[in-house]
Structure formats: C-alpha cells, structure tokens
Amino acid sequence: MAEKNKENVSFRNVNENPCNMCMPMGGILALKGIEQSMVIVHGSQGCSTYMRRHIAEHFNEPVDVGSSSLNEKGTIYGGEKNLRQALDNIRKVYHPALIGIVTTCLAETIGEDIERITGQYLIDKEMEEFPIVTASTPGYGGSHFEGYFFTLKRILMQLTEAAEKNNKINIIIPNISPADIREIKRMLALMEIEYVLYPDFSDTLDRPFAKPYTKMSNGGTKIADIRSMGGAVATIQMGITIEDGISPGKYLEEQFGIPLYNIAIPMGVESTDVFINTIAEITGKKVPESMKQERGRLLDGMIDSHKYNFQGRSVIFGEPEMVYGVTKICVENGVFPAVVATGSQIGRFNQLVTAAVADCPEQSKILIETDFSHILAASKEGKVNIGIGPSDGRYLTEKGDIPLVRLGFPIHDRVGGQRLLSVGYTGTMMLLDRITNTLLENKYKSYRSSMYEKFYQQG
Amino acid sequence: MAGELAESITERDEFIVTKGKNKKQLKCDTDSSAGCVSQRACVYCGARVVLNPITDAIHLVHGPIGCATYTWDIRGSLSSGAELYRNSFSTDLKEQDIIFGGAKKLAAAIDGLVEKYQAKLVFVYSTCIVGVIGDDLEAICSAASRRHNIEVIPVESSGFIGNKSAGYRAAGDALLRLIKPSESAVFKKNNSINYLGDFNLAGEAWIIHNYLQQMGVELNVTFTGDSHYTALKSAPKAKLNIIQCAGSMLYLAGKMEELYQIPYIQISFLGIEDTAASLRNIAAALGEESMILKAEELIAKETARVEDIIKGYRTKLEGKKAAIFVGGGFKAISLIKQFREIGIDVVMIGTQTGRKEEYEIMNELVDDGTVILDDANPAELEKFMMEKGANLLVGGVKERPLAYKLGIAFIDHNHDRKHPLSGFEGAVNFAEEVYSTVCSPVWKSLTALGMESGVTNHG
C-alpha cells in the first residue's frame, strides 16, 4: 500500500531533501518542445534563473528563458508593466513564433490575470494573431510533472482548432530524453505512420554543433501541427499515471472527439507491445519484420541477464510516469522493486504501481509525495542494492551505499542525460544492460573480500 | 518576423561600455530589466549561498518546494565536521498554506527538525510568497528559539525585494544576529583574524588557512566556509577582518567594524600576484615583524614551486583572448591579473552584481576596446564574444553551454567546481584548466573539412 509517510508525523510539515521540482519547471520543458518558441516566467528573477540552470546542466544546452523580473513595486501594484516589458524585449531579441508564459508562486499569490494582460498587450500592439499561450503554474500548485502536462493542455486549449480530419496520430509524450524521443520517431517511421509528436524537444534541447550559432534552435512541434491536432485519427498519450484534469489527450477527446489511447511509456516488453499494438490497431498497419527482430533481441538479452537481475532489489524514484515505466521493466526482469517512490502527488500512480508489483514475491513499498529522507529510510529497510532515477539519488549512494543507475531528469552530475536511450525494445535493452551491469559491477567489486571474510578461517 | 536582425534592447545601453570609446559611467547595482534574460538569481539565492556553508546549521526554506530543490547540495563547499548543511529542508507550502498561512507549519517544521538533528542553529529562509502572505517569520523564529533554547534566525530573503546583492545583505544581517554577544558575555580581544568571503569550495579556505598558519597568523573563523555555530560565535574577538568575496561580505565587515571595532582589509587569493600581495597586506596590517618575514618566505617558496609550471602553460596560451562573466566584482578584477600571468588579454568583462568601485578598477586594468558590462544576458555575451574574437569564457553553469555552442573554450568559475582555484595551488589549477580547454584537440574537429569535402585518406 502507498504510504504518505504516516510513520513520520513531521513530514506534513517539512520536506527533507525534495524528490520533485515545481510546476513552472514542467511548463518550461513543455514549451521548449514547440517550434521557435520562447518562454517567459512571470515572477521574480530567481525562478527563471534556477530553472534555466537546472535545465542547462542536464541537457548541456543554452537555455534562454525570460523573466518578468518582478520587484517590490510590481509585487505591490501588479506586474502588468513588467510582463509587457518582458514581452517587448523577448520579441525584440529572439523574434519567436510563439511565446509561452508560465506563472510562479509570486504571480499567482498576488493574483495576476495573465490572460487579460497578454490579451490587452496583443490588442495594443495590433498583433492579435500572434500566439501567446499562458499557463497558471504556481510552484505550490503541484510538481514539475503536473506543470508539464498542464501546460501541454493549456497550449492545446489556446491553439488547437476543430480541424479537418487528417490521417495523423497525435503522440503526446512525457518528459523523456531527446534520445528517447528520437527513438519513438524512428519506430513511428518504421511503422510508416503519420503523426504529430507533442512536444518535441529532441532537437531544441539537444541540437547538433553547427555554425553559425542561432539563438533560436530548429526543431520542435510545428505550431500549425498543434493547431491541427483536433483533426487527428487518434491520440496516443504516454501519460497513464496522469489525472484527467491535466490530461492534454483527454482534452482532445472531450473537445474534438479524438479517441484517446492513454498508455505507459514504452519501456519493457509489455508496454512497448502495447504501444506497437495500439498503432497497429489504429492504422491497421502490420508490424515490420525489423521491429519483430528488435523485440526478439530484447527477449534474448533478458534471458541472458535474468539470473543477475534476480539479485537486484531496486529503489525507483522520480517522475510518476518514468517510475511506472521502470517498475514494469524491473518486474518483467525479476529485479524486485522494493521501493517505488515519487515526489509528485498523482492519484493513479498508487493503483497502477500496486497492480504492476502484485505478483512480486514480496511486498513493495510505494511512496507518493515523498522526499529523499524517506526514500533512503525505506531503501535501507527494504535492503535495496540498486537505485534507478535522476541524479539526486546520489544521496542514496552517499548515505546508503546504493549504486545508482541514472535515468530521467535532471542528471546534473554526469554527462549525457539527454542521450540516455531507454524506450522501445532497443532502448529497454540498453537500460536493462545498465541495470544489470551496475549489479554485476557492485557484486564483483567486493565478492573476493566478502567471501574471504565470510568463510576463510586461518589454521 | 524570423530573419530580421536581433535588435538590442535600449534600456540595456547604459549597462555596457567599451573602454576608451565612451566616457559614460557604467550603470550597475540595480534591478534587472524584464525580458532581458538576466543571468542573475534572486535574493534567496544570494542569502543561501552565503549561509549554506555553515556546516552544523539546519537550513530550512519556508516556501514552496522549488526553492529548496534547486539549491539542494549543488555547491562544492566542504566540511571538516558536520554534514547537516548538505540537506535541503523545506516547509513545502501548498495551496491551503497560501490561503491560511504557513505559520503553524513552519513552527512544527522547526520543532521536528530540531528534535531529529539536535542542532544549535536554524536559519529560516523567507521566499517570495512568505513576503506576500505575511507569515510573521520574526515572531515564529523567536518563539521557536525560546522553546528550544537555541538560535533560530530568520533570513529576510523574499525573492522580489531586490537582486542577489540584497540576499548578501540579508545573510549579513542573519550573521550579525548570530555573532552578537549576549549582554552578560565578557569579551576579550585576541590576536586572531576572521576570514570573510570564502566558502571553502574544494577546500579553498583550508589552503588559505595553511598559509596563515605558516605565517604565524591565527585564523579565528571563516565566513562561512567550513564554519560552525561555536566558531562563528567567537567572531567579535578577532583583531582584523580580511575579505575575499567583497560583494557578499563588505556589508558585514562594515557592520563588524562599527559594532566590534574590527578593521578590515580587502584581499584576494586568486592568482599568484594577488595571493602574494594579499599575504603581504595581512602581515603588514597585523604589523608583526616575524609575520612579515614568514610571509616573504612563504611567497618565495611557493612562487618558486609554481612559477615554472605556470610559465609552461603561458607559452602555450600567449596571445589568446578571454571573456569573463562572473558573479562578483572582486573575482572579475583578480581574473584580469590572473589571465595576464598566463599571457591572456581580457576582451570582455562583466559581472552579475559588481559595484561601481569594482567596475572602475576593471576599467583601469583592461586594455582599450575591452567591453565592460553589468548584468549581461546570453545575447550580449554571444555578441561581444564573437565581435571581440574571444577564445574562452569564464563563467557559471548557465554560460557554459553557450560558450561550447559557439565553439569557445570555457572555465568553470562557480560554486559548483570540484577543484580549488585559490592560492598558489589554485593558480596552477587555473592555468591547467585554461590550457585543458583552450588547447583541447576537440576544436580541431570543428574546423575539419567535413563530409562535404570528399576527403577519404584511404590507407
């Protein structure tokens, strides 16, 4: 059963080492996946800078994000002047095709009506056709995970029209790596599918070195494509854990009658099968031979590693959707998910994970809305020997001697977070290898000395 | 609109000067303009940076989760004792706390943490919304202080009340409260000195401590690298304050002079020239003949040890051009001299929070044509680095990917680094780091002929 850390009464009052970020962070990530877009964070300067720093460190990319730089005056008399100035300056320097505005604790607490402010701005500038999308993302309103999906929904609400029917499938993705996004696109190309992938930060946050440098990067979901998502054949949304209220796919279904297939991230055999089968079901296309081969190789590799994996007792932590995906991989491969944890508060997570771990020989501990201090305690209790999640899990390594397989966002103490491939049959194999090899490395590191100490008796 | 040339932002004009070209006074030390993509963080950040290295304190952020997440153990301050400071505690305010106030939660959080960690010192950081919802931090902290008979000090660091400098001031006020002797205490001055503005990144304060010891100078306490409650309490006893990071510590030093009659001198341990001058100045200020002699011995010995190594790098680096964009002015000034030591001229220099007097010194030190700018943004950094033909940039995490995307070398001069840049050891590390990035073979690949050239080089 999920525990909201009832054993520690003080938890409701204090979070010890957070396992989540705040809402506007998710909003920025979502908007970074839109073609030629710029983001303005409506709040004090620090919010934007902290988030830029975090994103830049993970992706190793310049991350330019504007701020309305609210000061004392703006806080007392309202931030309209600041926000308008921010819009002017961002347009001047970056010439974006779209501007997204996310709010912060400060802006929401002083009651800023950003829709009115931006609406008036566009009228005054005589540019009513220009797309400004807004999302209320107070930091106290939820984690970055909710902020991400909520912003995606808000963009659809403001851009998508009842378009003519087209042959495309909407593919809505969670916060996965650029390498993962590219892998999903490769799979879709193999299946010869027409699609709109939303949002797409595979290029915008992982661009090739090229001269000359441009402030705005190429790539991202095209604005025209977002507008036409209301005419798609179906929506496949990798957001099985999210609630309807923040679900962009649900919005498209309710508003435009687009059938929604809400699935898990294709991680592991079963979840990837679901992805492929869903595409086949929607389009009637056959699964290409090469895809079957990829699947076969994954199965082959799983057998090769299964005895090593059986020794794994994992703690899985991070964003709900990613955690659920990894849990499926662990369960499929006999790595016991001893602790499954997220800092977000997501209703469906508990139910889904409970079902996923139902057949495990022991009871998993599920932690929602938790922090690293609790994750560490549960990991020690659960005799965990491998951690899977973002870099902040290094705390578990330091305090609990738990080796860490870095995955998800953010990865700030190693390079290549943006290049980690973990989805689809091929990506699953690569992630599984990272898990297995970490278990092996840890075992080989000490087995000579540990056996010696255990059995050797002098004389 | 795409394709138009980026226009510069007019309100930024006053913050940028070119030496020798315009006589106008550089504007600095003011709020960032909205939408300018400032690289600055917020008041809270400034305060946290200064106070966080205090090792045995509970650092509790009263606010929504993000502020605590983005500042959890991201700094490289080292400790010789307690590790408590490496945790990030947050009251994790949620929507209902914003409506009903967070006072109760905060009081309970302090109680829970003090009980769990038995600390003698708690810093409670105010964030943006606390300033707005009106929780009476002062009252809550003094009540908690009485309840537990320890120091619970509020840090007035609401993000919108100014820029990062305001945070330094807030930290200074918190430190002044901490070191204030109780009414009954009898204070006896001794011959020791306090070292202000070293955060013991990668052990830098330890290096300086060793130098002082060799000179026969007694170091009382460092603000705040590797400091702790008891040591800080003894601060008023010192005879002299030496300040390295002036931006963050000048206010505190001024107050300590006023309250405890401790004079201060500004020093810098960045680069051989400044390190040697600083050691001499400290000895001279203390006025003891033996110290002056020992300082000269130390300087002679250490200079002899590192001189040739640095000369070696100089021959490889002579004639290269550097761009500097760092947090504070003292660092920028030292870097100009330090680059000179390895044969490099500075063509662009700026800071996030430099003061007028510091910019005047920079202006004196650099050559004609050098661009000097305050609170720069990525667009400006890009423009002037390209215009001036910079070969490398010195900066922080957010600036790094920009330099790399421009094909320019980069030096990490931020709080995150894992190697010391202070003193003679640091001077060698610095030269080595510059060499490692400027002379890396990777740049050759960028100018290689490429795929279109048809070059094959068959064996």
Side-chain angles (χ1 to χ4, degrees), chain A residues 159-170:
Chain A
L159 292 184
T160 308
E161 296 143 359
E164 248 177 71
K165 280 282 162 209
N166 57 49
N167 284 328
K168 292 178 181 171
I169 301 178
N170 300 324

Side-chain angles (χ1 to χ4, degrees), chain A residues 21-31 102 135-138 141-154 246 344 346:
Chain A
M21 288 159 277
C22 60
M23 257 189 123
M25 168 65 100
I28 295 173
L29 289 170
L31 282 156
V102 294
S136 284
T137 49
S143 74
H144 64 297
F145 181 75
E146 290 98 298
Y148 176 91
F149 280 104
F150 177 70
T151 304
L152 287 181
K153 180 181 164 178
R154 286 286 304 162
I246 56 167
S344 303
I346 286 289

Side-chain angles (χ1 to χ4, degrees), chain B residues 18-202:
Chain B
T18 304
K19 179 170 180 190
K21 212 168 162 192
N22 25 22
K23 287 272 174 282
K24 70 177 175 186
Q25 181 74 247
L26 180 89
K27 197 172 167 186
C28 63
D29 204 11
T30 178
D31 286 348
S32 301
S33 300
C36 286
V37 194
S38 164
Q39 306 289 87
R40 280 176 180 165
C42 60
V43 185
Y44 158 70
C45 171
R48 181 89 195 242
V49 173
V50 172
L51 297 175
N52 201 64
I54 302 173
T55 58
D56 59 353
I58 287 170
H59 297 271
L60 172 60
V61 186
H62 186 38
I65 199 66
C67 308
T69 310
Y70 305 129
T71 49
W72 177 25
D73 202 23
I74 57 170
R75 308 277 169 171
S77 297
L78 302 187
S79 168
S80 59
E83 291 277 314
L84 192 51
Y85 72 114
R86 295 185 55 207
N87 293 291
S88 208
F89 301 118
S90 167
T91 48
D92 194 1
L93 294 182
K94 299 283 166 66
E95 197 125 24
Q96 78 245 26
D97 304 314
I98 308 306
I99 299 165
F100 300 111
K104 268 191 184 162
K105 200 172 186 183
L106 173 59
I110 297 170
D111 292 349
L113 289 171
V114 171
E115 193 188 330
K116 184 166 171 186
Y117 296 102
Q118 303 292 317
K120 281 188 255 173
L121 174 61
V122 183
F123 288 111
V124 179
Y125 298 81
S126 159
T127 57
C128 288
I129 43 172
V130 174
V132 178
I133 62 175
D135 284 353
D136 189 347
L137 226 55
E138 192 69 53
I140 301 163
C141 289
S142 44
S145 181
R146 281 194 302 273
R147 232 176 10 256
H148 300 287
N149 197 25
I150 58 164
E151 304 257 8
V152 182
I153 299 176
V155 185
E156 299 296 344
S157 51
S158 279
F160 60 84
I161 59 169
N163 59 37
K164 206 169 163 186
S165 302
Y168 297 149
R169 207 186 157 95
D173 283 328
L175 287 166
L176 284 167
R177 283 174 76 141
L178 174 64
I179 64 174
K180 190 180 173 194
S182 62
E183 310 263 320
S184 55
V186 187
F187 246 91
K188 218 179 139 206
K189 287 270 176 197
N190 60 26
N191 255 342
S192 65
I193 68 168
N194 296 322
Y195 177 25
L196 277 60
D198 188 320
F199 306 105
N200 201 31
L201 306 172

Side-chain angles (χ1 to χ4, degrees), chain A residues 38 40 84-96 99 121 125 127 130 215, chain B residues 1 4-13 34-36 379:
Chain A
M38 269 302 283
I40 296 172
R84 290 176 68 106
Q85 189 189 12
L87 283 163
D88 279 346
N89 284 333
I90 288 292
R91 284 177 46 228
K92 233 186 242 176
V93 175
Y94 292 91
H95 307 292
I99 296 176
Y121 176 86
K125 300 280 171 180
M127 45 186 289
F130 184 84
K215 288 181 190 62
Chain B
M1 273 194 295
E4 279 175 41
L5 280 173
E7 298 163 50
S8 61
I9 301 171
T10 44
E11 59 254 44
R12 288 281 313 149
D13 287 351
C36 286

